[in-house]
Structure formats: structure tokens, C-alpha cells
Amino acid sequence: MTSGGYDPDKDPQNPGGYPPPQGGYPPPSQGNYPPPPQGNYPPPQQGGYPPPGNYPPPPQGNYPPPPAFGESPMPTQLSVGTAIGYGFNKFKENALVWIGIVLIAAIIQGVLNYVLSSDNFVLSLIFSVIVGVATLLIQAALVRGALHEVDGMKPAFGSFFQFNNVFAIVIAGVLVGIATGIGYILLVIPGLVVTFFTWWTFQFVIDRGDEPIPAIKASAKAIASNGGTIFVLALALFGLNVLGAILLVVGLLVTIPITIIAGTYAYRVTVRGRVA
């Protein structure tokens, strides 16, 4: 008998009478165990990621970018009231700059009309061209400022002249002027129609870099796509400017910026651009 009271000769599980292992534990059981299975197993995964393989590429598509910070989702439908309200709010947020640029434009045009006047037919024609080009560039500057507003950027004075396609602007303006003039000669109404459908010509030239004739076509197509609502908006903005003129003309310093911003807002909504 060993110390601790264990007798190997009387242990039924130890018929051979083997001495116990040190520590008083029974001997390990004997038996024939099968060898471990053999095979080619994949290496263990590293970092918890699945093993590399030929996975299909992610689906491709032209998805619109999410609105940038400060931009609201683009409206899906044009509203006359929303457009005018948008123009008023944007003007109110940057009123001094807009009033200043309209006032400067009026002074420049008035000075040119006064200085560049002559009884000589040739000089009068040349001066008329100069004044006309200046007028077109002033209109383009106001559209550029309105595009900045729609993009969510308050324009400073220099921002109104951030366009480099001056030649395209002048040619587009001349073509629209010629077509409008012919239309007014033909009993006025055709001239009003031309004026209406070419309303956004400068927006397409400045904003998208279109050439003059494609810009005129794009303007007509865009306006025709929602002609009823845009026509009502045009009438409302015309009435707003008439009201501004009645208010001792000073009201135009307010109504002109509102109408230009509202019209540019309508342009962006119609052509599915981003509105800030």
C-alpha cells in the first residue's frame, strides 16, 4: 500500500498492479486512437477578414453627388411663390452689395449715354455699339451674381464679373436683340415670345459655358418644358419691376435684384441644378 491509502494490487482498473504516478493520480488509459485526418486546409484568416477571392465589383452607376454643406435638396417642382420668396430672402441677406451693384450699373450706363452722344451718324452708330456692349456686360454681371447666390455664395462686388467668355456673352446678346427687334416689328407679340423663350440665354452661357446659339436653343427648350409656370413667374416679376419703377424708380434698386435672383432660381430648378 502506498502512502495516502491507495493499493495498486486491489485497484480493479489497474490489473497489472502498476505503481501509481507521482501525486496519487491513476495511470492514463490505454488504447489505439486513430491518427488525425490529413488534408489541405486553408490558412487561418488574418485580422478577422475573409480570405481573398474573386468577388464581383460593386455596381456602377451615375449617382448624383450628395448636397454639399449649406445646400438644401433640389426642389422637384417650380413654384412661383417659392421663387419670388427665394429671391427676396437672398437679396435681404446681401442687400447692400446688390443695391450698390445696381446703382453702379445705372450710373455707368447713364454716363455712357450722356458722354457717347453725337449728331454724326457714324459716331452715333459707334457709340451705340459701345453702350450696347456695356449694357450686355452689365446684364451678364447681374446674372453671374445671381448664380453665386443660387450656389450658396454671397457675391462681393468683384464676384459679379467672374466670367471669361465675354465674346460668347456679347454675341448671344446681339443675336437675342436682333431676334427680339424683328419680333417687335412683327406686331409686338412675336417680340414678347422671343423675349420670353430666350430669358435664360445668359444663364446657359455663363453657368454652363454654352456657345451663343446652343444657349438660345437650351433656354427655349428649358422654358418650354414648364412654360405655364414660368410664364406666370415672368408676369409676376414684370409686375414687381413696374411697382419698383412707380416708387420713384428707387424701388428698382430692390426689385431688379429680386427678379434676377428669382429668375435664376427658376432656371436652376428647371434644369435640375443644385440650389443652395
PDB file of all heavy atoms in Angstrom, residues 29-57:
ATOM      1  N   SER A  29      -5.325   5.970 -19.395  1.00  0.00           N
ATOM      2  CA  SER A  29      -5.968   4.838 -20.084  1.00  0.00           C
ATOM      3  C   SER A  29      -5.209   4.514 -21.345  1.00  0.00           C
ATOM      4  O   SER A  29      -4.658   5.392 -21.995  1.00  0.00           O
ATOM      5  CB  SER A  29      -7.427   5.185 -20.393  1.00  0.00           C
ATOM      6  OG  SER A  29      -7.486   6.367 -21.178  1.00  0.00           O
ATOM      7  N   GLN A  30      -5.223   3.206 -21.676  1.00  0.00           N
ATOM      8  CA  GLN A  30      -4.507   2.728 -22.856  1.00  0.00           C
ATOM      9  C   GLN A  30      -5.498   2.498 -23.981  1.00  0.00           C
ATOM     10  O   GLN A  30      -6.651   2.117 -23.766  1.00  0.00           O
ATOM     11  CB  GLN A  30      -3.767   1.413 -22.530  1.00  0.00           C
ATOM     12  CG  GLN A  30      -2.806   1.531 -21.358  1.00  0.00           C
ATOM     13  CD  GLN A  30      -1.666   2.466 -21.650  1.00  0.00           C
ATOM     14  OE1 GLN A  30      -1.159   2.468 -22.763  1.00  0.00           O
ATOM     15  NE2 GLN A  30      -1.267   3.245 -20.665  1.00  0.00           N
ATOM     16  N   GLY A  31      -5.083   2.716 -25.173  1.00  0.00           N
ATOM     17  CA  GLY A  31      -5.949   2.448 -26.323  1.00  0.00           C
ATOM     18  C   GLY A  31      -5.278   2.850 -27.613  1.00  0.00           C
ATOM     19  O   GLY A  31      -4.281   3.579 -27.607  1.00  0.00           O
ATOM     20  N   ASN A  32      -5.876   2.356 -28.718  1.00  0.00           N
ATOM     21  CA  ASN A  32      -5.382   2.681 -30.060  1.00  0.00           C
ATOM     22  C   ASN A  32      -6.260   3.780 -30.652  1.00  0.00           C
ATOM     23  O   ASN A  32      -7.420   3.539 -31.012  1.00  0.00           O
ATOM     24  CB  ASN A  32      -5.395   1.446 -30.972  1.00  0.00           C
ATOM     25  CG  ASN A  32      -4.428   0.385 -30.480  1.00  0.00           C
ATOM     26  OD1 ASN A  32      -3.333   0.714 -30.008  1.00  0.00           O
ATOM     27  ND2 ASN A  32      -4.826  -0.881 -30.608  1.00  0.00           N
ATOM     28  N   TYR A  33      -5.736   4.959 -30.731  1.00  0.00           N
ATOM     29  CA  TYR A  33      -6.509   6.092 -31.277  1.00  0.00           C
ATOM     30  C   TYR A  33      -6.129   6.313 -32.742  1.00  0.00           C
ATOM     31  O   TYR A  33      -4.959   6.171 -33.108  1.00  0.00           O
ATOM     32  CB  TYR A  33      -6.210   7.367 -30.476  1.00  0.00           C
ATOM     33  CG  TYR A  33      -6.634   7.250 -29.036  1.00  0.00           C
ATOM     34  CD1 TYR A  33      -5.697   6.931 -28.045  1.00  0.00           C
ATOM     35  CD2 TYR A  33      -7.968   7.430 -28.692  1.00  0.00           C
ATOM     36  CE1 TYR A  33      -6.085   6.825 -26.733  1.00  0.00           C
ATOM     37  CE2 TYR A  33      -8.357   7.317 -27.365  1.00  0.00           C
ATOM     38  CZ  TYR A  33      -7.421   7.012 -26.386  1.00  0.00           C
ATOM     39  OH  TYR A  33      -7.807   6.907 -25.091  1.00  0.00           O
ATOM     40  N   PRO A  34      -7.103   6.656 -33.565  1.00  0.00           N
ATOM     41  CA  PRO A  34      -6.795   6.901 -34.995  1.00  0.00           C
ATOM     42  C   PRO A  34      -5.941   8.154 -35.140  1.00  0.00           C
ATOM     43  O   PRO A  34      -6.025   9.077 -34.326  1.00  0.00           O
ATOM     44  CB  PRO A  34      -8.164   7.076 -35.636  1.00  0.00           C
ATOM     45  CG  PRO A  34      -9.036   7.566 -34.519  1.00  0.00           C
ATOM     46  CD  PRO A  34      -8.529   6.883 -33.274  1.00  0.00           C
ATOM     47  N   PRO A  35      -5.102   8.167 -36.178  1.00  0.00           N
ATOM     48  CA  PRO A  35      -4.294   9.382 -36.413  1.00  0.00           C
ATOM     49  C   PRO A  35      -5.198  10.552 -36.828  1.00  0.00           C
ATOM     50  O   PRO A  35      -6.306  10.348 -37.308  1.00  0.00           O
ATOM     51  CB  PRO A  35      -3.357   8.963 -37.549  1.00  0.00           C
ATOM     52  CG  PRO A  35      -4.110   7.903 -38.280  1.00  0.00           C
ATOM     53  CD  PRO A  35      -4.887   7.150 -37.222  1.00  0.00           C
ATOM     54  N   PRO A  36      -4.764  11.748 -36.637  1.00  0.00           N
ATOM     55  CA  PRO A  36      -5.581  12.902 -37.058  1.00  0.00           C
ATOM     56  C   PRO A  36      -5.759  12.914 -38.571  1.00  0.00           C
ATOM     57  O   PRO A  36      -4.887  12.471 -39.315  1.00  0.00           O
ATOM     58  CB  PRO A  36      -4.746  14.100 -36.578  1.00  0.00           C
ATOM     59  CG  PRO A  36      -3.353  13.597 -36.478  1.00  0.00           C
ATOM     60  CD  PRO A  36      -3.477  12.153 -36.059  1.00  0.00           C
ATOM     61  N   PRO A  37      -6.919  13.362 -39.047  1.00  0.00           N
ATOM     62  CA  PRO A  37      -7.166  13.370 -40.509  1.00  0.00           C
ATOM     63  C   PRO A  37      -6.196  14.298 -41.222  1.00  0.00           C
ATOM     64  O   PRO A  37      -5.776  15.321 -40.691  1.00  0.00           O
ATOM     65  CB  PRO A  37      -8.607  13.879 -40.611  1.00  0.00           C
ATOM     66  CG  PRO A  37      -8.836  14.656 -39.357  1.00  0.00           C
ATOM     67  CD  PRO A  37      -8.031  13.948 -38.294  1.00  0.00           C
ATOM     68  N   GLN A  38      -5.844  13.848 -42.424  1.00  0.00           N
ATOM     69  CA  GLN A  38      -4.927  14.631 -43.248  1.00  0.00           C
ATOM     70  C   GLN A  38      -5.721  15.375 -44.318  1.00  0.00           C
ATOM     71  O   GLN A  38      -6.728  14.890 -44.825  1.00  0.00           O
ATOM     72  CB  GLN A  38      -3.883  13.717 -43.919  1.00  0.00           C
ATOM     73  CG  GLN A  38      -3.056  12.904 -42.924  1.00  0.00           C
ATOM     74  CD  GLN A  38      -2.202  13.787 -42.045  1.00  0.00           C
ATOM     75  OE1 GLN A  38      -1.639  14.767 -42.528  1.00  0.00           O
ATOM     76  NE2 GLN A  38      -2.104  13.437 -40.766  1.00  0.00           N
ATOM     77  N   GLY A  39      -5.270  16.542 -44.697  1.00  0.00           N
ATOM     78  CA  GLY A  39      -5.954  17.288 -45.765  1.00  0.00           C
ATOM     79  C   GLY A  39      -5.339  18.677 -45.931  1.00  0.00           C
ATOM     80  O   GLY A  39      -4.550  19.124 -45.112  1.00  0.00           O
ATOM     81  N   ASN A  40      -5.744  19.319 -47.039  1.00  0.00           N
ATOM     82  CA  ASN A  40      -5.254  20.665 -47.321  1.00  0.00           C
ATOM     83  C   ASN A  40      -6.264  21.679 -46.778  1.00  0.00           C
ATOM     84  O   ASN A  40      -7.308  21.907 -47.377  1.00  0.00           O
ATOM     85  CB  ASN A  40      -5.057  20.879 -48.834  1.00  0.00           C
ATOM     86  CG  ASN A  40      -3.966  19.993 -49.404  1.00  0.00           C
ATOM     87  OD1 ASN A  40      -2.949  19.773 -48.742  1.00  0.00           O
ATOM     88  ND2 ASN A  40      -4.178  19.494 -50.621  1.00  0.00           N
ATOM     89  N   TYR A  41      -5.963  22.218 -45.646  1.00  0.00           N
ATOM     90  CA  TYR A  41      -6.866  23.185 -45.034  1.00  0.00           C
ATOM     91  C   TYR A  41      -6.389  24.599 -45.366  1.00  0.00           C
ATOM     92  O   TYR A  41      -5.186  24.842 -45.470  1.00  0.00           O
ATOM     93  CB  TYR A  41      -6.895  22.990 -43.505  1.00  0.00           C
ATOM     94  CG  TYR A  41      -7.448  21.639 -43.116  1.00  0.00           C
ATOM     95  CD1 TYR A  41      -6.602  20.577 -42.818  1.00  0.00           C
ATOM     96  CD2 TYR A  41      -8.827  21.449 -43.062  1.00  0.00           C
ATOM     97  CE1 TYR A  41      -7.107  19.340 -42.464  1.00  0.00           C
ATOM     98  CE2 TYR A  41      -9.342  20.204 -42.706  1.00  0.00           C
ATOM     99  CZ  TYR A  41      -8.484  19.147 -42.403  1.00  0.00           C
ATOM    100  OH  TYR A  41      -8.986  17.942 -42.065  1.00  0.00           O
ATOM    101  N   PRO A  42      -7.331  25.542 -45.519  1.00  0.00           N
ATOM    102  CA  PRO A  42      -6.913  26.921 -45.812  1.00  0.00           C
ATOM    103  C   PRO A  42      -6.181  27.516 -44.625  1.00  0.00           C
ATOM    104  O   PRO A  42      -6.406  27.119 -43.486  1.00  0.00           O
ATOM    105  CB  PRO A  42      -8.247  27.650 -46.059  1.00  0.00           C
ATOM    106  CG  PRO A  42      -9.253  26.850 -45.307  1.00  0.00           C
ATOM    107  CD  PRO A  42      -8.784  25.413 -45.407  1.00  0.00           C
ATOM    108  N   PRO A  43      -5.256  28.420 -44.897  1.00  0.00           N
ATOM    109  CA  PRO A  43      -4.529  29.052 -43.788  1.00  0.00           C
ATOM    110  C   PRO A  43      -5.499  29.846 -42.913  1.00  0.00           C
ATOM    111  O   PRO A  43      -6.560  30.268 -43.361  1.00  0.00           O
ATOM    112  CB  PRO A  43      -3.525  29.974 -44.497  1.00  0.00           C
ATOM    113  CG  PRO A  43      -4.157  30.271 -45.810  1.00  0.00           C
ATOM    114  CD  PRO A  43      -4.894  29.015 -46.197  1.00  0.00           C
ATOM    115  N   PRO A  44      -5.134  30.018 -41.680  1.00  0.00           N
ATOM    116  CA  PRO A  44      -6.030  30.785 -40.795  1.00  0.00           C
ATOM    117  C   PRO A  44      -6.174  32.226 -41.287  1.00  0.00           C
ATOM    118  O   PRO A  44      -5.273  32.811 -41.873  1.00  0.00           O
ATOM    119  CB  PRO A  44      -5.321  30.736 -39.441  1.00  0.00           C
ATOM    120  CG  PRO A  44      -3.888  30.483 -39.777  1.00  0.00           C
ATOM    121  CD  PRO A  44      -3.898  29.597 -40.997  1.00  0.00           C
ATOM    122  N   GLN A  45      -7.357  32.823 -41.083  1.00  0.00           N
ATOM    123  CA  GLN A  45      -7.624  34.186 -41.517  1.00  0.00           C
ATOM    124  C   GLN A  45      -6.835  35.165 -40.665  1.00  0.00           C
ATOM    125  O   GLN A  45      -6.678  34.976 -39.476  1.00  0.00           O
ATOM    126  CB  GLN A  45      -9.121  34.490 -41.397  1.00  0.00           C
ATOM    127  CG  GLN A  45      -9.987  33.579 -42.264  1.00  0.00           C
ATOM    128  CD  GLN A  45     -11.465  33.892 -42.071  1.00  0.00           C
ATOM    129  OE1 GLN A  45     -11.796  34.864 -41.424  1.00  0.00           O
ATOM    130  NE2 GLN A  45     -12.319  33.056 -42.620  1.00  0.00           N
ATOM    131  N   GLN A  46      -6.364  36.193 -41.337  1.00  0.00           N
ATOM    132  CA  GLN A  46      -5.588  37.207 -40.653  1.00  0.00           C
ATOM    133  C   GLN A  46      -6.483  38.406 -40.352  1.00  0.00           C
ATOM    134  O   GLN A  46      -7.152  38.923 -41.241  1.00  0.00           O
ATOM    135  CB  GLN A  46      -4.406  37.660 -41.530  1.00  0.00           C
ATOM    136  CG  GLN A  46      -3.451  36.542 -41.884  1.00  0.00           C
ATOM    137  CD  GLN A  46      -2.753  36.000 -40.646  1.00  0.00           C
ATOM    138  OE1 GLN A  46      -2.429  36.753 -39.722  1.00  0.00           O
ATOM    139  NE2 GLN A  46      -2.521  34.692 -40.619  1.00  0.00           N
ATOM    140  N   GLY A  47      -6.498  38.820 -39.114  1.00  0.00           N
ATOM    141  CA  GLY A  47      -7.207  40.039 -38.734  1.00  0.00           C
ATOM    142  C   GLY A  47      -8.709  39.912 -38.779  1.00  0.00           C
ATOM    143  O   GLY A  47      -9.429  40.898 -38.726  1.00  0.00           O
ATOM    144  N   GLY A  48      -9.236  38.687 -38.924  1.00  0.00           N
ATOM    145  CA  GLY A  48     -10.676  38.527 -38.910  1.00  0.00           C
ATOM    146  C   GLY A  48     -11.357  38.842 -40.225  1.00  0.00           C
ATOM    147  O   GLY A  48     -12.574  38.973 -40.287  1.00  0.00           O
ATOM    148  N   TYR A  49     -10.575  38.979 -41.324  1.00  0.00           N
ATOM    149  CA  TYR A  49     -11.162  39.307 -42.611  1.00  0.00           C
ATOM    150  C   TYR A  49     -11.289  38.049 -43.444  1.00  0.00           C
ATOM    151  O   TYR A  49     -10.492  37.121 -43.314  1.00  0.00           O
ATOM    152  CB  TYR A  49     -10.309  40.339 -43.367  1.00  0.00           C
ATOM    153  CG  TYR A  49     -10.190  41.647 -42.622  1.00  0.00           C
ATOM    154  CD1 TYR A  49      -9.042  41.953 -41.892  1.00  0.00           C
ATOM    155  CD2 TYR A  49     -11.237  42.551 -42.640  1.00  0.00           C
ATOM    156  CE1 TYR A  49      -8.942  43.150 -41.195  1.00  0.00           C
ATOM    157  CE2 TYR A  49     -11.143  43.759 -41.952  1.00  0.00           C
ATOM    158  CZ  TYR A  49     -10.005  44.047 -41.237  1.00  0.00           C
ATOM    159  OH  TYR A  49      -9.914  45.220 -40.557  1.00  0.00           O
ATOM    160  N   PRO A  50     -12.245  37.988 -44.350  1.00  0.00           N
ATOM    161  CA  PRO A  50     -12.366  36.796 -45.190  1.00  0.00           C
ATOM    162  C   PRO A  50     -11.188  36.672 -46.132  1.00  0.00           C
ATOM    163  O   PRO A  50     -10.545  37.662 -46.479  1.00  0.00           O
ATOM    164  CB  PRO A  50     -13.684  37.053 -45.960  1.00  0.00           C
ATOM    165  CG  PRO A  50     -13.861  38.531 -45.921  1.00  0.00           C
ATOM    166  CD  PRO A  50     -13.275  38.975 -44.614  1.00  0.00           C
ATOM    167  N   PRO A  51     -10.868  35.438 -46.543  1.00  0.00           N
ATOM    168  CA  PRO A  51      -9.720  35.247 -47.447  1.00  0.00           C
ATOM    169  C   PRO A  51      -9.972  35.916 -48.778  1.00  0.00           C
ATOM    170  O   PRO A  51     -11.114  36.137 -49.177  1.00  0.00           O
ATOM    171  CB  PRO A  51      -9.640  33.713 -47.582  1.00  0.00           C
ATOM    172  CG  PRO A  51     -11.026  33.252 -47.296  1.00  0.00           C
ATOM    173  CD  PRO A  51     -11.571  34.187 -46.257  1.00  0.00           C
ATOM    174  N   PRO A  52      -8.901  36.280 -49.477  1.00  0.00           N
ATOM    175  CA  PRO A  52      -9.089  36.933 -50.782  1.00  0.00           C
ATOM    176  C   PRO A  52      -9.745  35.992 -51.773  1.00  0.00           C
ATOM    177  O   PRO A  52      -9.618  34.785 -51.708  1.00  0.00           O
ATOM    178  CB  PRO A  52      -7.650  37.302 -51.196  1.00  0.00           C
ATOM    179  CG  PRO A  52      -6.785  36.335 -50.439  1.00  0.00           C
ATOM    180  CD  PRO A  52      -7.491  36.084 -49.137  1.00  0.00           C
ATOM    181  N   GLY A  53     -10.458  36.598 -52.696  1.00  0.00           N
ATOM    182  CA  GLY A  53     -11.125  35.796 -53.710  1.00  0.00           C
ATOM    183  C   GLY A  53     -11.599  36.684 -54.848  1.00  0.00           C
ATOM    184  O   GLY A  53     -11.425  37.901 -54.840  1.00  0.00           O
ATOM    185  N   ASN A  54     -12.226  36.083 -55.822  1.00  0.00           N
ATOM    186  CA  ASN A  54     -12.721  36.811 -56.986  1.00  0.00           C
ATOM    187  C   ASN A  54     -14.163  37.245 -56.712  1.00  0.00           C
ATOM    188  O   ASN A  54     -15.114  36.523 -57.021  1.00  0.00           O
ATOM    189  CB  ASN A  54     -12.642  35.934 -58.247  1.00  0.00           C
ATOM    190  CG  ASN A  54     -11.204  35.613 -58.615  1.00  0.00           C
ATOM    191  OD1 ASN A  54     -10.324  36.461 -58.473  1.00  0.00           O
ATOM    192  ND2 ASN A  54     -10.963  34.392 -59.091  1.00  0.00           N
ATOM    193  N   TYR A  55     -14.296  38.385 -56.065  1.00  0.00           N
ATOM    194  CA  TYR A  55     -15.624  38.887 -55.750  1.00  0.00           C
ATOM    195  C   TYR A  55     -16.093  39.819 -56.869  1.00  0.00           C
ATOM    196  O   TYR A  55     -15.294  40.525 -57.473  1.00  0.00           O
ATOM    197  CB  TYR A  55     -15.610  39.639 -54.416  1.00  0.00           C
ATOM    198  CG  TYR A  55     -15.200  38.770 -53.269  1.00  0.00           C
ATOM    199  CD1 TYR A  55     -13.910  38.854 -52.732  1.00  0.00           C
ATOM    200  CD2 TYR A  55     -16.092  37.845 -52.734  1.00  0.00           C
ATOM    201  CE1 TYR A  55     -13.528  38.050 -51.677  1.00  0.00           C
ATOM    202  CE2 TYR A  55     -15.710  37.045 -51.670  1.00  0.00           C
ATOM    203  CZ  TYR A  55     -14.434  37.141 -51.141  1.00  0.00           C
ATOM    204  OH  TYR A  55     -14.069  36.351 -50.100  1.00  0.00           O
ATOM    205  N   PRO A  56     -17.391  39.874 -57.122  1.00  0.00           N
ATOM    206  CA  PRO A  56     -17.873  40.780 -58.193  1.00  0.00           C
ATOM    207  C   PRO A  56     -17.659  42.232 -57.790  1.00  0.00           C
ATOM    208  O   PRO A  56     -17.721  42.578 -56.609  1.00  0.00           O
ATOM    209  CB  PRO A  56     -19.368  40.443 -58.279  1.00  0.00           C
ATOM    210  CG  PRO A  56     -19.714  39.864 -56.942  1.00  0.00           C
ATOM    211  CD  PRO A  56     -18.476  39.130 -56.499  1.00  0.00           C
ATOM    212  N   PRO A  57     -17.390  43.104 -58.762  1.00  0.00           N
ATOM    213  CA  PRO A  57     -17.171  44.524 -58.443  1.00  0.00           C
ATOM    214  C   PRO A  57     -18.468  45.166 -57.967  1.00  0.00           C
ATOM    215  O   PRO A  57     -19.558  44.676 -58.262  1.00  0.00           O
ATOM    216  CB  PRO A  57     -16.714  45.119 -59.790  1.00  0.00           C
ATOM    217  CG  PRO A  57     -17.316  44.208 -60.815  1.00  0.00           C
ATOM    218  CD  PRO A  57     -17.314  42.837 -60.200  1.00  0.00           C
TER     219      PRO A  57
END
